[in-house]
Amino acid sequence: MPLPTEAPDPYTILQGWLSGIYLRPDGQEVRGRAWGDDTRYRYGLLLAGIDAPPGWRQDWFTHIGRLVWHFKPSHIQDWAIRLTNLDGSPMAAASRGRAVSAVRSFYAHCTEDLGAAHWNLPPRRALAGPTPPAGRESLTRFQTDALRTAADRYRGPHAERARLAVYMTLAGLRPGQSIAVILQHIQRDNAAGPTWRLPAKNNSASAVTRPQPVPRPVVWALDEYLPVRTHKAPHSTGTTGPLLLSRTGRALDRVTFPRLLRGVAATHPDLEDIAPTLLPDVVAHSPSPFADETSTGGDRQ
């Protein structure tokens, strides 16, 4: 930003921006974005220390001082690294990323709405550092054992289908894989035991993995389900089409599958608390109760 005769006050610009009413350089009043209370508070705190507790001086304007219009990306990086929470503890990576976003948004406003020079700031991840992925959620072995028991005891609608779907998920199959399994890819005439070609992780029924053994407990559940499988032409037959079917003969969808899993989990007293929000992916990434009995059929790429 070229040095003006009198540099604009960043605090005044920030207040107008967050209020939703500001003046363009030509004096035209603009009614801009209507910010939520949380965003106004967070941006005001991080950029200018508005409503900060005594002693907290981590805001951007205080840090950058007279260089507010003449900073370098390295200044933002240095500020982000030093950021602390209100209690003085180091700020987490995700929070640092949101702080950098506040700075980038403020200067984008100055560029786009006020006609200031372009700063050409790098992406947020380059300024704040990459945000580490959240730890993968999973169930304990105790919980997967409970889910297996719940599937065995389930007496709700289409109990055999529910048991097989839960068993497939416990064996490590993602919901998209389970839904896309077709009967033609299940081979029962192998001397070494049943195998199936599972859909690859891109969830495409046409992209399948090499033959893999079907875990023995899943074979038992499969044998109980096939005689009552609700196949209906033209969507499916007794020997072709999707394995897990709805009452119309079509494959289960991505909405029904988690509902089915949650319905089974809700019948077990040790799973009642987590059942309403239980996700098939979480189950698939959890320790399999079949691990000690046979290798899983899931492809955990």
Side-chain angles (χ1 to χ4, degrees), residues 150-163 260 263-264 267:
D152 291 338
R153 297 176 178 175
Y154 184 68
R155 296 297 180 267
H158 306 285
E160 295 84 2
R161 183 189 66 182
R163 183 187 183 212
L260 182 155
V264 173
T267 64

Side-chain angles (χ1 to χ4, degrees), residues 135-210:
R136 177 173 284 176
E137 184 181 359
S138 64
L139 302 182
T140 65
R141 181 59 185 269
F142 175 83
Q143 290 173 315
T144 55
D145 284 340
L147 184 57
R148 178 183 186 178
T149 299
D152 291 338
R153 297 176 178 175
Y154 184 68
R155 296 297 180 267
H158 306 285
E160 295 84 2
R161 183 189 66 182
R163 183 187 183 212
L164 177 59
V166 172
Y167 267 43
M168 292 170 73
T169 310
L170 286 170
L173 272 65
R174 302 281 295 276
Q177 291 180 295
S178 296
I179 291 171
V181 169
I182 60 175
L183 284 184
Q184 298 94 303
H185 286 160
I186 301 175
Q187 303 297 325
R188 304 295 298 268
D189 55 356
N190 299 320
T195 62
W196 50 12
R197 290 181 179 271
L198 299 173
K201 286 296 179 70
N202 62 5
N203 296 334
S204 171
S206 62
V208 295
T209 61
R210 64 187 181 279

Side-chain angles (χ1 to χ4, degrees), residues 249-271:
R250 293 182 172 87
L252 287 184
D253 56 54
R254 292 179 177 274
V255 174
T256 303
F257 195 92
R259 286 179 179 173
L260 182 155
L261 185 74
R262 292 166 183 167
V264 173
T267 64
H268 197 289
D270 292 325
L271 302 175

